[in-house]
Amino acid sequence: MSATAVHAGDHGHDDHGHHHKETFITKYIFSQDHKMIAKQYLITGTIMGVIGIMMSIFFRMQIAWPKESFTIFEIFLGNWAPGGVMSADKYLALVTIHGTIMVFFVLTAGLSGTFSNLLIPLQIGARDMASGFLNMVSYWLFFISSVIMVISLFVEGGAASSGWTIYPPLSALPEAIPGSGLGMTLWLVSMAIFIASSLLGSLNYVVTVINLRTKGMSMTRLPLTIWAFFVTAIIGIVSFPVLLSAALLLIFDRSFGTSFYLSDIFIQGEVLHYQGGSPVLFEHLFWFLGHPEVYIVLLPALGITSEIIATNSRKPIFGYRAMVASILAIAFLSTIVWGHHMFISGMNPFLGSVFTFTTLLIAIPSAVKAFNYITTLWKGNLQMNPAMLFSIGLVSTFITGGLTGIILGDSTLDINVHDTYFVVAHFHLVMGISALYGMFAGVYHWFPRMFGRMMNKNLGYVHFWVTAVCAYGVFFPMHFIGMAGLPRRYYTNSEFPLFDDLANVNVVITMFAIIGGTFQLVFLYNFFGSMFYGKKAPQNPWRSNTLEWTAPVEHIHGNWPGEIPHVHRWAYDYSKPGHDDDFVPQNVPMKDGEEEMHH
């Protein structure tokens, strides 16, 4: 390795120091350093997550104890709950903004934005992202869209109220319901900006992974985290523009008098002038993003889990190539299954059977991942730290949530439970809770890499066990009230004697939701407290193989002082015979006669 191999941009940190002194603003606000941008994404996503979880607790209280007066509603909801009693349209607004915030702002931006930014340059051996400036713009667009989404809660008429899927005509007619006015417009503006942010970020991630890998880092030596982020970014580039077009056409229908989604509409007996549009067109455009979106949320969590389970089992990941192939298969299949959200929209039954077939196919790569996780854990030397617990929890919720997907993916069976709590239970487990566990696991695992300190392990255990019990406590009973026919999004079921028997179940679900939501404060305390008062972290606290643990604990511009490490092996040489330690970092040269592990 001669010094001549070092590129012009590869000088050590000292060379940079003479050129510009970083001020508070260039370091913490308009930073172009991927590590700082990752922290910005994480903290913004966390704040949005707190808002989203509080909303869910509020509307769960309304379902459990309908029309009761709560002081907490008066404090937090103000005019939305006159006298502490939540009004019906504001219940819908809470459900809508909760869904939007959790799916897009927490699990898409918070998860991908944080870990793609933190890990892609560090794990592939790059100084930074391909474009630091685009990266910064991507974060600030996300921040602006978050602010607009929160502002939409405070406008007259209230926030968007047509569900997070914003189906027309509720979302397309400003006069339909109170939330269809300015709140809906702000929702659309916020999402358009969010999509721009997501696309800029994704393009950056793809270019970085393709072009900036260090010497020896072939695609088959990439950690599975990077494969997941890479493919996630590609899915985002393919599918987010379709949502943008759906949103733009909706803006046209609302503000410019077009009829893309509207036809033969009557309001109080009066015929509106809209002719020739179709609300089903919106469903097609929305779900063409909506289903890949599920995997945009889930794949990074699965990638993080792959890395954490291998590290904490002290074993190579089982079936590396099968894992990569399953990520690619999921990415491809996710773009041809969107019709399973629309089985009762009046589609041709034959088309329904086609979508059933493609949907059931996607179970195969998902099962490959589940079996490979279990096989990696099998007879491993398991290190049960909080990150490992959350990763194993992810495997559990991924399987339990995925099994109900087989029912919902079948066009005949879906008719009975469509739009009931069964659907809510399914996607919260398989997408919401699984991705959230992946995010928690990632935070516990890479916190030392981000902040140079360790999080408190015992608080992590408390956080995991209470969260795990409460998550199942909330979503397991929902399957049963869904099969009993309880529709989702009703703000009270007291008008239907049919559902009286289910009232107690809703109270149980809400109790679990309140306890589980409250215990996230343990995580927040641990997270923000450890930033300042946590135990100082060693360079490689988990004895891990990937390149990010070869960089110094102090964050420096350019990640490594001096030369970037070269890669000689794949990322999963754990417990390899012939080595003294039970881990061999990727930058350790092969010994004479040492065999490279077969993927």
Side-chain angles (χ1 to χ4, degrees):
M1 281 182 275
S2 66
T4 50
V6 181
H7 302 300
D10 283 3
H11 299 307
H13 173 55
D14 300 334
D15 299 62
H16 290 283
H18 301 307
H19 299 314
H20 57 86
K21 186 83 186 83
E22 285 199 311
T23 62
F24 178 83
I25 289 183
T26 58
K27 185 169 181 193
Y28 291 104
I29 300 176
F30 296 112
S31 171
Q32 297 189 17
D33 186 314
H34 71 100
K35 300 180 289 298
M36 184 55 67
I37 293 174
K39 293 180 197 175
Q40 290 175 320
Y41 265 111
L42 182 58
I43 288 166
T44 314
T46 305
I47 293 166
M48 294 300 277
V50 169
I51 298 171
I53 287 174
M54 279 177 68
M55 287 178 166
S56 64
I57 290 175
F58 292 157
F59 63 68
R60 273 310 323 172
M61 287 167 71
Q62 162 61 28
I63 302 171
W65 302 288
K67 302 199 176 130
E68 291 219 8
S69 172
F70 292 102
T71 327
I72 193 169
F73 285 1
E74 283 195 87
I75 298 167
F76 284 104
L77 300 176
N79 297 341
W80 286 27
V85 180
M86 190 185 294
S87 57
D89 54 334
K90 296 306 183 266
Y91 171 86
L92 289 176
L94 284 176
V95 172
T96 301
I97 305 298
H98 160 79
T100 310
I101 283 179
M102 297 310 281
V103 170
F104 293 110
F105 293 80
V106 180
L107 297 177
T108 302
L111 184 60
S112 284
T114 301
F115 293 106
S116 300
N117 267 312
L118 178 73
L119 296 178
I120 288 176
L122 280 166
Q123 288 195 338
I124 67 174
R127 291 285 180 210
D128 207 311
M129 283 288 175
S131 167
F133 178 75
L134 267 190
N135 212 9
M136 176 183 80
V137 172
S138 161
Y139 168 72
W140 281 103
L141 286 174
F142 163 57
F143 180 81
I144 292 165
S145 77
S146 304
V147 170
I148 294 173
M149 190 59 75
V150 172
I151 287 173
S152 81
L153 297 169
F154 298 99
V155 298
E156 199 173 350
S161 310
S162 41
W164 78 276
T165 53
I166 58 162
Y167 283 180
L170 272 187
S171 58
L173 293 168
E175 62 271 32
I177 45 175
S180 297
L182 181 57
M184 188 69 237
T185 306
L186 288 175
W187 191 100
L188 289 164
V189 170
S190 169
M191 281 313 299
I193 295 171
F194 178 87
I195 291 165
S197 151
S198 173
L199 285 172
L200 289 179
S202 296
L203 288 167
N204 219 351
Y205 305 149
V206 169
V207 172
T208 308
V209 172
I210 290 174
N211 288 340
L212 296 184
R213 303 192 305 279
T214 184
K215 187 176 178 194
M217 179 64 86
S218 61
M219 292 299 271
T220 50
R221 283 178 176 171
L222 285 175
L224 287 167
T225 36
I226 303 299
W227 270 108
F229 300 144
F230 176 58
V231 173
T232 300
I234 293 171
I235 306 176
I237 293 167
V238 169
S239 55
F240 263 118
V242 182
L243 182 66
L244 184 60
S245 63
L248 283 176
L249 297 185
L250 193 50
I251 290 170
F252 286 163
D253 271 14
R254 290 171 55 79
S255 308
F256 301 108
T258 56
S259 306
F260 289 107
Y261 305 132
L262 297 168
S263 187
D264 303 323
I265 304 272
F266 294 79
I267 288 193
Q268 291 168 343
E270 187 189 335
V271 188
L272 300 188
H273 66 275
Y274 299 106
Q275 279 297 310
S278 165
V280 177
L281 168 65
F282 179 86
E283 291 191 37
H284 279 294
L285 291 174
F286 182 89
W287 288 115
F288 189 81
L289 157 95
H291 204 78
E293 167 66 24
V294 174
Y295 291 101
I296 290 172
V297 163
L298 199 54
L299 281 180
L302 293 173
I304 287 167
T305 297
S306 306
E307 180 61 37
I308 292 174
I309 284 184
T311 300
N312 289 309
S313 301
R314 313 311 293 163
K315 277 176 63 183
I317 189 82
F318 186 90
Y320 175 88
R321 296 205 166 192
M323 290 297 245
V324 172
S326 67
I327 290 174
L328 295 169
I330 283 173
F332 169 68
L333 289 169
S334 75
T335 59
I336 53 169
V337 295
W338 77 94
H340 65 216
H341 298 268
M342 302 168 56
F343 285 144
I344 62 164
S345 66
M347 65 158 56
N348 184 322
F350 174 71
L351 188 58
S353 65
V354 173
F355 279 121
T356 298
F357 175 63
T358 56
T359 302
L360 296 183
L361 277 184
I362 213 165
I364 298 168
S366 306
V368 167
K369 297 193 90 57
F371 286 128
N372 283 4
Y373 289 139
I374 294 167
T375 334
T376 306
L377 291 166
W378 179 250
K379 293 191 173 177
N381 172 15
L382 304 184
Q383 315 292 308
M384 287 298 186
N385 48 45
M388 181 64 155
L389 288 175
F390 274 109
S391 297
I392 296 172
L394 179 147
V395 178
S396 165
T397 55
F398 186 56
I399 293 171
T400 44
L403 284 173
T404 53
I406 295 173
I407 296 165
L408 294 169
D410 188 308
S411 51
T412 332
L413 299 175
D414 175 67
I415 293 168
N416 304 300
V417 285
H418 186 92
D419 254 342
T420 66
Y421 271 91
F422 192 85
V423 178
V424 178
H426 158 71
F427 78 81
H428 276 81
L429 278 177
V430 80
M431 174 179 100
I433 301 296
S434 298
L436 213 54
Y437 283 0
M439 193 165 169
F440 285 140
V443 170
Y444 282 108
H445 190 76
W446 281 289
F447 190 88
R449 187 55 276 182
M450 276 193 272
F451 298 102
R453 292 176 182 274
M454 305 295 284
M455 285 178 81
N456 183 313
K457 209 172 176 178
N458 292 334
L459 287 179
Y461 291 144
V462 171
H463 176 216
F464 170 74
W465 285 111
V466 177
T467 304
V469 170
C470 289
Y472 271 136
V474 168
F475 296 115
F476 218 81
M478 277 192 194
H479 292 97
F480 302 112
I481 59 176
M483 285 192 284
L486 192 69
R488 56 197 278 209
R489 296 181 177 156
Y490 282 22
Y491 94 115
T492 170
N493 303 299
S494 48
E495 311 300 317
F496 307 101
L498 168 72
F499 299 133
D500 285 351
D501 295 348
L502 306 179
N504 295 340
V505 185
N506 267 325
V507 172
V508 169
I509 291 174
T510 299
M511 294 307 294
F512 274 120
I514 292 170
I515 297 166
T518 310
F519 262 82
Q520 302 315 306
L521 292 171
V522 173
F523 169 74
L524 291 175
Y525 170 75
N526 195 357
F527 180 73
F528 289 107
S530 302
M531 267 187 217
F532 303 103
Y533 307 112
K535 200 171 85 222
K536 281 265 191 337
Q539 185 170 330
N540 188 356
W542 316 117
R543 300 161 60 80
S544 191
N545 287 344
T546 41
L547 290 181
E548 77 269 31
W549 306 106
T550 63
V553 177
E554 304 79 50
H555 285 185
I556 58 169
H557 192 65
N559 294 340
W560 287 272
E563 203 170 344
I564 294 179
H566 292 177
V567 170
H568 302 278
R569 56 183 72 240
W570 73 327
Y572 299 102
D573 272 344
Y574 291 103
S575 306
K576 192 172 188 186
H579 287 270
D580 299 338
D581 279 325
D582 65 351
F583 71 109
V584 193
Q586 285 188 278
N587 61 337
V588 174
M590 300 293 272
K591 293 181 176 175
D592 286 342
E594 184 184 352
E595 250 186 279
E596 183 149 13
M597 289 286 281
H598 296 296
H599 310 322

